[in-house]
Structure formats: C-alpha cells, structure tokens
Amino acid sequence: MEVSVSDFDNLKATELRLGLPGIDAPEKPAPVSPRGSKRALLKANEECWPGTSKSLEADTSNQEAQPMAKAQVIGWPPIRSYRKNSFKARKAEVEAAGLFVKVSMDGAPYLRKIDLKVYKGYKELREALDNMFRCFSTGELSGMEGCNGSEYAITYEDKDGDWMLVGDVPWEMFISSCKRLRIMRRSEATGMPSSP
Amino acid sequence: MPAGGGWAAMFPDEVWEHVFSFLAADGDRNAVSLVCRGWYHIERRSRRRIFVGNCYAIAPTVAVRRFPNVRVVSIKGKPHFADFNLVPSDWGGHADAWVAAMAEGWPLLEELHLKRMVVTDECLELLARSFKNFRVLALSFCEGVSTAGLAAIAANCRNLRELDLQETVVEENCVHWLSHFPESSTSLVNLSIASLEEDVNIAVLEHLVSRCTNLKTLKLNYAVPLDRLVNLLCRAPQLANLGTGRFTAEYRPELFSKLESAFASCKSMKSLSGICEAVPEYLPAIYPICDGLTSLNLCDAPVNGASLTKLVSRCKNLQRLWVMDVIEDDGLAAVASSCKLLQELRVFPCDPYGADPVSLTEHGLVTVSTGCPMLQSVLYFCRQMTNDALFAVARSSPNLTCFRLCIIDPHTPDYVTLEPLDAGFSAIVESCKDLRRLSVSGLLTNNVFRSIGASADCLEMLSIAFAGDSDAGLHYILSGCKSLRKLEIRDCPFGDKALLANAAKLETMRSLWMSSCFVSLGACRLLAQKMPLLNVEVMDEKKRGGSWDSQPDDCLVEKLYVYRTVAGQRSDTPPCVWTV
C-alpha cells in the first residue's frame, strides 16, 4: 500500500549479489568496546552462526550483565508515557500530603478541607468543625452522643460510597475509610437515604 | 491484441480511468502502473489517494509531480520506537518540505493525515492559505504545532470537516484558538482535542458544537469537567464517538441524573473514550449507552476492577476494548462471557514500574481468547506467562491478525516450567496463518525466530526486545518472513553477519530499526556501499558535531535505522544522526 519505489521507466531486474562475509570483506575481529560483559557475548556469537547449536552461556551472561530486576530501562515497557505521567503526578500529589478530606455544610456557600491526621479523636474533630463552620450555624454542631439540642449531624462518606454517621466506629477505622464529610441538617439526617 | 503497445489506445483514457477507479488498494494501482506506459500515465493522473509509509522514501516534489491530482494524502515520519523515547528527539520527520511541495502542486488537496511527524505553525498557516477545499486535518503522534497554528486552520479552512489531534503534543500559547472558527463555520464532523492539556474556552466550544449539527466525533480534553460535558452532550445528541474530559467530581445526585439523561439521549453513540480518572460513583451514568457501544477505551480510568467489570459486562456489542490491568482476570472473564463480538483487546499496565501486585495474569488472556471467537487483535501487558497459555490462545484464536504480548520484566521465562517461551510463540505463528503483526517478549532463544521465519508468511511487522542468543536469530527472520515490511529490534545479540547476509531483503522492506544490538559501523558502511537504494542511518546521541567519518569500523552502533528510498540521502539529519 505504498508509493511504488521503482516506477515503470526504471523497471529493471536488480540482481544483487552479496556473498557471505569472508568472500568480499575481511572477517571482522570481535570488537573491543568499553561496554562491559554484554559486548563480550560477541565472541560467543561468532561460533553461533546458522546451523550450530546455540550456546547457553550467552543467555545467562546476558542476564548477569543487565540488572533488569527493578532498574528502569529507557523506553521499557513500551507504553507512551506523557499523558500517563501527568496523571500519576496528580495522583501522587493527592496521596502525599496527609489525609485531606473535603467538608461541606448544608447551606454554606463554600466547602472546606481538613487534614484528619491532625486530630486525635472525635472530640477534637467536632471542635475543629465547630470553629470552622460557626459562622454558618446558629448553634453548636455537635451531632454525636445523642445530643438532641443540636441542629446538625456530622456525616461522612466511606470507601463504599455510603453515607455514615460520624462516631460509630473506632477513630483509626474512621480516618482510614472516610473520604469526605458533610454536615447536614438534622431534619434531613433522620430520613437519610441509602447510597445510590 | 494490437502489436507494439498500442493496445491501451483501444479505449479512451477516461474508460481506463473509470476501470481503475474500482481499484481501491494502493498495491493494485501500483501493479496497474507497471503494465505499460499508457496505463502508467493514466493511472498516475487519476490517483486520488496516496499513502507514504516513510516520509523519506521519496522526495515530496517527485511524489507531487507523479500524481498531480491527489486529494487525500497520508504520510508517516518517525520510526515507531519514537513513541518510547528511543529515537533522538531531533531525528527528523519534518512536514515542511511536504507541505511546501503540496501547496505548489496539489491546490485541490482535501485531506492531510500525518503520523509521527514534526509539524510547525508555518506548515499549518501555509496549509490554511493554499488549499481551498481543505476538509480533513489529522495529526496523530505529531509535535511542533502550537494553538496559534490551530487558530490559523480554524479561521481559514472554510469547509473544515475534521480536526483530529490524536496524541499530538500541542504547545498551548493561544487560549482563544477555538474562537477563530467563524460563526459561519458549521461543517465540523470531527473535533478531537484530547491531547490538549490546558483549558479551552468551554462556552465557545459549546457554541461551536451547537452550530455544527453534523458533528459525529467529539473528543474532549481533561480540562472539560463533568458538568460541562452534560451541556455538550445535550447540544449534540447525534454524536457517535465521544471522548469525555475528566470523569471525576464530588458526587452530587442531580449531576449524576443529568449526566445519565444526557447519555440516554445519545441514541447513536458507538464509541466512548476519555473517562479520565473516573470515580466509581459516576460510571453508572454511562449505562444507557452501553448496549450500543462497539468501542470502549478505558485507558485513562484506573478504577477498581469491580466497577470496570460492571460497566463492561453491559456492553454486549463491544468490538474493541482498551482497558488497564486493574480490570484483572476476573474482569476479563466477564468480558469473555459478555462481549461475544469482541475483535480487539488491549490491556495496559496501570503501574508499570511499581511493585503493586495486580491480579492480571495469563489466565485473563486465555479466557478472552477462548470466550471471544471473533478475536483478531491483542495487545497485552502482563507480568507472567506460560507456554500452555500461549498454546491455548493459538488454538482458540487462529484468526489473529495482530498479537502483541509484553511481559513487563525482560527475559521472563514460563513461570511454571522455567523454560523459554519459544514453544508458545511458535504455536501462535504456526496456528495464526493471517498474522500480520507480532511483538514477542519474555525469555526467548533463537528457536522462536526459526519458527517465525518459517511460518509467519503474512507477517508484516515484527517487534523484538531482549530476545535471542545470536545472529542466527536475526538471520532466520530476514531469510524467512516473506511479507515482512517493518522490523524493529532492541537489546538483542544480533549483529553484522545476519545483516550483511540479508542485505537484499532490506530493500523489500520499508524499514529496519536496531538499537542496543551488536552492529558495527563497519558493517553499516558495507551495507550502505552495497545497497544504494537504502539509507543507512546511525545515531548516537552523545555525538554532537563530532565527525563520524573518523570512527573506526569496529565501533558499535547504538542505534541503526535502515530504510529503502528513491530520494537518496536526506538533507535534514541532525548532528547525532549520520547517513552512512
């Protein structure tokens, strides 16, 4: 499916004669090169010309010469990396810097982000959220320990996508499964639907 | 038949032209041009499409002169291994000379398809000025253009139907290039800008999409967020091929249901890609179109296997699936049982350098091969393989035309028997008689090359890395493989003898690439001397400005690229490349 290399006017039988090395050209000596044991294989190769059995030592010394195990080789594996790299960079950014989760509050015009690793337990978390969102609420935020006076409930979304009430599980378990927080009005909290 | 070559005159030229117009394949038209002088001229004047597999195989002016009435041209530049950073960045593949010659000789040009070439804004500006009927610009895996060049195309190509920048790197310096499409421009059928990294003006994009009522293909870039996707889909429910931008957002039920309805209104959707960084919550919004999808590309969606499996299981009519290895063997088993029409499978590694274990093994491949009787094309990255698995694939998928297996760690043997994978790959080439493309990997000795050389009669492209024991391996390939056109080799113990003994073969091929092998400069000199129709290019990126002439014969060549050409030595080689 290519442009024809030889066009009609130049059509001629091109008879190419190329003898085996040793007829036209002098036999080449094994090259000396500072590349280490990989190149020493050439000597083994010279005995391995078609028909003769392969030499196994070629294979094993190849493996020794190239510490492939986990070293990155240029262009290997053969995947185009430019876009995949930028995705990985974004992913790395996100994972590197602590356990930041978004916090939204019903009725608030913007969200906040907090680092869960900073807090030692639920009490501290509750206090921090209280401070952060005080300006948007009329009363205290605390929605845990059955505190009926509060207008809000603090909920979180876990790894499975379900919305859970904060406070039921041990703190360590909570921070490992919490993906985001939502401070919702108590009136909504009682009739919380299951995850879609 | 009248004597003396006058038989072509039996019919007027127009009749022959009409006859030739039924020949679609370039090979057939080439054959026609060899019959007699009369047919040569009739054919060349009536040829409308040409494909140039190597931009340096023929001089642009010669091509333009020979075929004066071309409307559609495809040109490829850099060797395939340029995709993996093995080719020096300044190697070449410049489109300038081609665009200049085409501007002179083909004023009625309608379509330009370039792959792996270096294109400049000046090229695009010249293009926009020179071709009144220009309709299709497809730049894949190209580089060198900026959004200023795209603006020129947008502004001046009145009847532009397709602007496709697949995987092309674009320097983004003109934020408002999209605005250069005039209000009157309504002809777009394909707008593919997935490779752009920066923001585009989405309001302008929405307006463009609204007025281009024939738009069938829209591939957005990462910068387009999910909520704007909804607006775009609502403006273009007729879309057949969609590439989304980023598919991630904080979960909001109303956004989800808007997205779901938008997809539901796209009754013609056949192909879906993008879905960048998808979060599981939003994937179900795609379900409405799954049944109609024939092509699904999830390479940018490293979502957990379970979510992927749920999505793919609904795509009963899928013919092409590109996915990451996070789908795991279980996901592929679901593919095998749900996607009975599957023809092409590509599985890419999500974390190729990492040690994260992923449960994608040879079993996934075997399951798909056994379960999908129409499987023709496979590209599979994995970490382990057995000969038995390859035997199974050879048995279940004898109609494979493309088999590319990449076992991530070089020299990996059959992990059960610890033997080389020679037997497995041999089974593949012996069973798959129509195999046109093959990539081998894992621990391989010369035996596999003996089988390939002997059995792979239809093989046109072969890729070899970290394999073989000696020159004999290369000799088996070059002395066999009747249909071989492209051979690319890296890090194999192949050298001078095989190359020189098979020099004539190289003239029957488009190109040969060898890097980190054992080829000496002396052999290259000899090859170049014996074969005037080959360009023998040697490359060494450490050599800048030093003279190649003074290098001794026995010095090893790091990178070698040999290709046939009627254009002689090219004049645009950078310092690190020398045409011997």
Side-chain angles (χ1 to χ4, degrees):
Chain A
M1 277 182 242
E2 299 174 271
V3 174
S4 156
V5 169
S6 53
D7 72 23
F8 170 71
D9 286 325
N10 291 327
L11 191 65
K12 62 183 190 292
T14 38
E15 183 108 29
L16 295 160
R17 291 197 180 283
L18 204 66
L20 285 173
I23 301 173
D24 288 349
E27 187 67 72
K28 264 184 289 309
V32 175
S33 154
R35 285 199 212 196
S37 48
K38 179 182 173 189
R39 300 303 175 185
L41 287 175
L42 201 64
K43 285 214 161 72
N45 283 342
E46 302 246 332
E47 278 94 74
C48 287
W49 186 237
T52 61
S53 58
K54 63 176 171 61
S55 80
L56 281 171
E57 62 251 25
D59 204 29
T60 47
S61 44
N62 204 13
Q63 280 177 301
E64 281 160 33
Q66 289 149 11
M68 288 305 171
K70 292 305 167 198
Q72 280 191 33
V73 179
I74 288 186
W76 190 263
I79 47 173
R80 265 173 74 73
S81 54
Y82 85 88
R83 220 162 8 112
K84 297 186 200 303
N85 273 344
S86 65
F87 160 69
K88 286 223 156 302
R90 281 192 282 266
K91 190 172 169 214
E93 263 169 41
V94 164
E95 290 172 354
L99 211 58
F100 279 94
V101 296
K102 285 185 185 171
V103 187
S104 63
M105 175 165 168
D106 291 353
Y110 50 79
L111 281 65
R112 301 295 300 267
K113 252 196 173 159
I114 58 170
D115 183 358
L116 289 178
K117 288 201 176 122
V118 159
Y119 310 107
K120 296 192 193 60
Y122 288 117
K123 185 160 178 289
E124 281 191 23
L125 174 66
R126 202 185 329 136
E127 279 165 10
L129 290 177
D130 215 0
N131 284 330
M132 229 182 233
F133 286 94
R134 187 183 296 280
C135 49
F136 301 126
S137 75
T138 51
E140 278 184 17
L141 284 178
S142 163
M144 291 171 280
E145 300 158 12
C147 179
N148 292 325
S150 156
E151 205 184 316
Y152 293 94
I154 307 181
T155 60
Y156 72 98
E157 185 187 13
D158 73 356
K159 279 200 177 113
D160 298 324
D162 297 320
W163 285 95
M164 319 283 289
L165 190 67
V166 162
D168 288 334
V169 300
W171 174 253
E172 292 303 330
M173 192 188 291
F174 164 70
I175 61 172
S176 70
S177 60
C178 171
K179 280 174 48 188
R180 57 179 74 98
L181 287 161
R182 180 178 163 203
I183 304 171
M184 59 168 48
R185 297 203 171 85
R186 207 155 250 298
S187 49
E188 276 189 55
T190 48
M192 214 163 34
S194 52
S195 146
Chain B
M1 287 287 192
W7 66 275
M10 276 165 67
F11 297 113
D13 289 359
E14 294 75 28
V15 172
W16 291 121
E17 267 186 42
H18 184 65
V19 170
F20 299 160
S21 70
F22 293 100
L23 298 173
D26 285 343
D28 293 337
R29 292 199 71 116
N30 291 348
V32 155
S33 69
L34 296 175
V35 167
C36 66
R37 200 178 288 272
W39 276 23
Y40 169 78
H41 287 294
I42 298 168
E43 192 284 315
R44 75 179 187 87
R45 284 192 294 260
S46 61
R47 177 117 44 145
R48 289 279 183 269
R49 328 174 70 98
I50 67 166
F51 169 76
V52 181
N54 173 2
C55 62
Y56 293 119
I58 184 167
T61 44
V62 171
V64 168
R65 200 167 50 236
R66 178 171 168 185
F67 302 108
N69 293 308
V70 164
R71 301 284 184 269
V72 175
V73 60
S74 293
I75 312 173
K76 291 188 177 182
K78 299 190 194 188
H80 173 234
F81 275 177
D83 287 356
F84 319 126
N85 302 321
L86 288 178
V87 177
S89 56
D90 51 356
W91 175 82
H94 300 284
D96 306 64
W98 279 95
V99 176
M102 295 189 289
E104 276 280 326
W106 290 338
L108 298 178
L109 187 71
E110 294 172 4
E111 300 186 17
L112 179 60
H113 303 251
L114 300 177
K115 186 168 185 180
R116 286 195 199 95
M117 295 195 72
V118 178
V119 189
T120 59
D121 286 343
E122 289 70 33
C123 283
L124 294 189
E125 284 154 18
L126 182 57
L127 216 154
R129 282 198 305 274
S130 313
F131 305 119
K132 299 290 164 277
N133 295 341
F134 199 68
R135 299 203 307 220
V136 172
L137 179 62
L139 303 177
S140 64
F141 298 82
C142 294
E143 59 183 0
V145 288
S146 80
T147 38
L150 299 183
I153 295 286
N156 297 303
C157 299
R158 302 276 132 178
N159 299 307
L160 193 69
R161 300 243 178 107
E162 298 190 23
L163 178 60
D164 188 337
L165 301 174
Q166 185 198 2
E167 299 281 353
T168 286
V169 179
V170 177
E171 194 199 316
E172 297 177 65
N173 49 21
C174 167
V175 175
H176 301 293
W177 71 273
L178 262 186
S179 313
H180 287 249
F181 279 106
E183 273 303 310
S184 54
S185 165
T186 57
S187 51
L188 274 181
V189 170
N190 175 350
L191 180 63
S192 296
I193 55 171
S195 61
L196 295 184
E197 305 219 331
E198 302 295 326
D199 289 341
V200 284
N201 186 327
I202 301 188
V204 169
L205 179 61
E206 284 174 1
H207 190 40
L208 182 62
V209 166
S210 292
R211 65 183 189 271
C212 295
T213 51
N214 291 321
L215 195 68
K216 286 283 178 299
T217 300
L218 179 63
K219 299 203 176 164
L220 304 166
N221 62 338
Y222 183 84
V224 178
L226 211 47
D227 54 333
R228 304 309 286 268
L229 172 66
V230 172
N231 296 347
L232 289 163
L233 285 181
C234 291
R235 284 165 163 70
Q238 76 283 1
L239 281 178
N241 308 300
L242 173 68
T244 74
R246 61 178 181 276
F247 215 75
T248 176
E250 196 186 296
Y251 182 76
R252 295 188 329 257
E254 77 281 3
L255 176 55
F256 178 90
S257 62
K258 276 191 205 160
L259 188 61
E260 195 183 29
S261 322
F263 273 115
S265 66
C266 295
K267 306 280 183 216
S268 312
M269 199 70 82
K270 289 264 162 275
S271 126
L272 183 64
S273 60
I275 327 268
C276 305
E277 295 175 15
V279 287
E281 299 78 90
Y282 280 107
L283 283 184
I286 301 176
Y287 290 174
I289 58 166
C290 284
D291 218 35
L293 281 183
T294 56
S295 166
L296 180 58
N297 180 346
L298 296 167
C299 289
D300 289 312
V303 197
N304 65 77
S307 300
L308 287 180
T309 305
K310 275 191 225 165
L311 178 63
V312 178
S313 307
R314 289 165 171 261
C315 301
K316 308 269 182 252
N317 291 306
L318 213 55
Q319 292 172 17
R320 183 197 308 170
L321 175 64
W322 293 17
V323 73
M324 286 213 253
D325 59 3
V326 287
I327 196 173
E328 301 187 343
D329 286 346
D330 285 347
L332 289 180
V335 170
S337 61
S338 311
C339 310
K340 291 304 185 187
L341 301 178
L342 196 71
Q343 294 175 17
E344 178 179 331
L345 174 71
R346 295 196 191 187
V347 179
F348 294 95
C350 182
D351 192 11
Y353 308 113
D356 284 354
V358 163
S359 301
L360 181 100
T361 67
E362 76 280 11
H363 296 298
L365 176 60
V366 173
T367 323
V368 174
S369 166
T370 333
C372 300
M374 302 178 68
L375 195 67
Q376 281 183 353
S377 173
V378 170
L379 168 57
Y380 201 78
F381 283 81
C382 59
R383 294 182 195 276
Q384 63 185 52
M385 188 51 56
T386 60
N387 282 310
D388 279 346
L390 291 173
F391 294 154
V393 172
R395 262 195 317 270
S396 310
S397 305
N399 297 322
L400 283 177
T401 54
C402 169
F403 186 70
R404 294 149 78 188
L405 179 66
C406 179
I407 303 167
I408 291 181
D409 280 341
H411 310 294
T412 305
D414 175 324
Y415 72 93
V416 171
T417 64
L418 297 182
E419 282 173 9
L421 292 170
D422 297 340
F425 278 106
S426 300
I428 297 274
V429 291
E430 283 155 21
S431 162
C432 304
K433 303 278 180 224
D434 296 325
L435 197 68
R436 288 202 291 273
R437 185 165 180 186
L438 176 67
S439 298
V440 297
S441 59
L443 183 64
L444 294 168
T445 71
N446 284 346
N447 289 330
V448 73
F449 300 118
R450 191 191 294 125
S451 305
I452 296 175
S455 306
D457 289 340
C458 291
L459 194 67
E460 296 177 1
M461 183 168 178
L462 177 61
S463 308
I464 310 173
F466 306 104
D469 330 289
S470 71
D471 256 3
L474 180 58
H475 178 69
Y476 289 135
I477 298 293
L478 290 177
S479 57
C481 293
K482 294 195 249 234
S483 310
L484 196 64
R485 292 195 292 120
K486 288 185 283 183
L487 179 58
E488 48 185 24
I489 303 173
R490 63 164 294 176
D491 293 277
C492 295
F494 300 152
D496 302 343
K497 286 182 182 169
L499 206 55
L500 291 173
N502 294 285
K505 170 76 168 184
L506 297 179
E507 218 181 70
T508 68
M509 292 165 51
R510 183 189 298 171
S511 66
L512 165 69
W513 169 279
M514 289 179 74
S515 57
S516 305
C517 296
F518 294 158
V519 180
S520 71
L521 192 54
C524 295
R525 286 176 170 136
L526 206 56
L527 185 63
Q529 197 190 339
K530 298 281 181 194
M531 310 291 297
L533 287 178
L534 293 181
N535 273 1
V536 178
E537 292 187 7
V538 300
M539 300 171 224
D540 185 344
E541 277 160 291
K542 294 184 290 295
K543 187 177 305 308
R544 302 214 161 257
S547 165
W548 282 94
D549 286 329
S550 58
Q551 294 290 317
D553 274 351
D554 60 5
C555 110
L556 283 178
V557 165
E558 179 55 31
K559 298 179 184 185
L560 171 69
Y561 187 51
V562 180
Y563 55 91
R564 67 180 179 186
T565 179
V566 291
Q569 283 201 20
R570 59 182 174 115
S571 52
D572 61 358
T573 45
C576 63
V577 176
W578 183 45
T579 311
V580 178

